[in-house]
Amino acid sequence: MSARATTAEAAAPRTGAPEAAAPSAAPASVAVPNAEATGRRVEEVLDRLAQRDDREASAAAEELVRVLMDFYGAGLARIMHLMGSATGDDGPRPALLRDELVTSLLVLHDLHPEDTATRIGRALDSVRRQHPAEIVEFDADTGTLRLRAADSGGCGCPSTSQQAQQAVEAAVSCFAPEVTSMGWEAAGERAEPALLQISRRPPTAATAS
């Protein structure tokens, strides 16, 4: 199915489905997105590209639309799944905030209710069982995050450490994309207890004589 057909299908009104009322809280000056109008606008842009007789640009635009629709479709499906399967007094909210895909959508549109530090913690928690790491320092002004690999009891091989760092960095990038750079510190060696210098007992008066 082409991106055009997918867009048209998404914009077409459902037979027998009630029309959603416009949010009453939205200011009159703010245009509320409409699926039909948005689909029509996408079609117009694709048509303009096709009229330029640039097949490569037209194909790239259709692929872009398809990729975005797949991304948002997967996100909506994930939200519906978590809302239907979540249990507990807090409802689906904790499960939604722990999910990487849902988090990426919320952050993308500046809708996530948690701050950067909290989301970095969630990212580390999501991989902590396999790749434990801890925060050394986060500079919100520069977006620089310094991490320290925790002792996971592994073999300590360079390849294993690199894979662990990549997994942690991928999680952080998903939960907190405002982190622009990440650096690693070597796991600190545990301080050894001080050794007591034990010498022979000084000779007693009895042994000295």
Side-chain angles (χ1 to χ4, degrees):
M1 180 179 295
S2 67
R4 294 172 181 268
T6 306
T7 305
E9 181 181 354
R14 304 296 182 184
T15 303
E19 295 184 359
S24 57
S29 59
V30 177
V32 178
N34 178 274
E36 183 178 359
T38 301
R40 187 162 53 247
R41 177 63 175 160
V42 171
E43 289 292 323
E44 291 174 356
V45 174
L46 293 177
D47 287 339
R48 287 210 312 269
L49 286 173
Q51 291 172 4
R52 295 178 58 183
D53 198 22
D54 189 340
R55 294 183 178 180
E56 185 175 351
S58 181
E62 290 201 18
E63 182 180 1
L64 175 61
V65 173
R66 187 184 307 110
V67 169
L68 288 175
M69 294 196 67
D70 288 345
F71 176 61
Y72 282 97
L76 290 171
R78 187 64 179 164
I79 291 173
M80 295 304 296
H81 170 73
L82 293 174
M83 291 185 65
S85 60
T87 58
D89 297 336
D90 296 334
R93 179 186 171 94
L96 291 171
L97 297 183
R98 285 194 304 266
D99 188 81
E100 291 188 9
L101 180 56
V102 176
T103 292
S104 63
L105 285 170
L106 293 175
V107 173
L108 179 62
H109 294 281
D110 197 22
L111 294 173
H112 204 287
E114 297 177 337
D115 59 17
T116 304
T118 301
R119 287 185 277 110
I120 292 174
R122 285 192 180 275
L124 299 183
D125 288 341
S126 69
V127 295
R128 191 178 302 279
R129 181 174 299 179
Q130 294 82 13
H131 311 296
E134 58 186 16
I135 300 174
V136 176
E137 183 183 12
F138 174 61
D139 188 341
D141 294 332
T142 62
T144 302
L145 174 65
R146 292 170 56 200
L147 297 167
R148 180 185 296 116
D151 184 12
S152 60
C155 64
C157 302
S159 60
T160 304
S161 300
Q162 185 177 6
Q163 292 174 0
Q165 291 181 7
Q166 290 175 349
V168 173
E169 291 173 2
V172 171
S173 297
C174 179
F175 279 89
E178 56 267 57
V179 175
T180 57
S181 63
M182 283 177 268
W184 287 86
E185 291 186 0
E189 296 181 357
R190 296 181 180 179
E192 298 291 340
L195 296 177
L196 298 178
Q197 298 296 328
I198 302 176
S199 61
R200 292 184 178 181
R201 291 179 58 188
T204 63
T207 56
S209 61

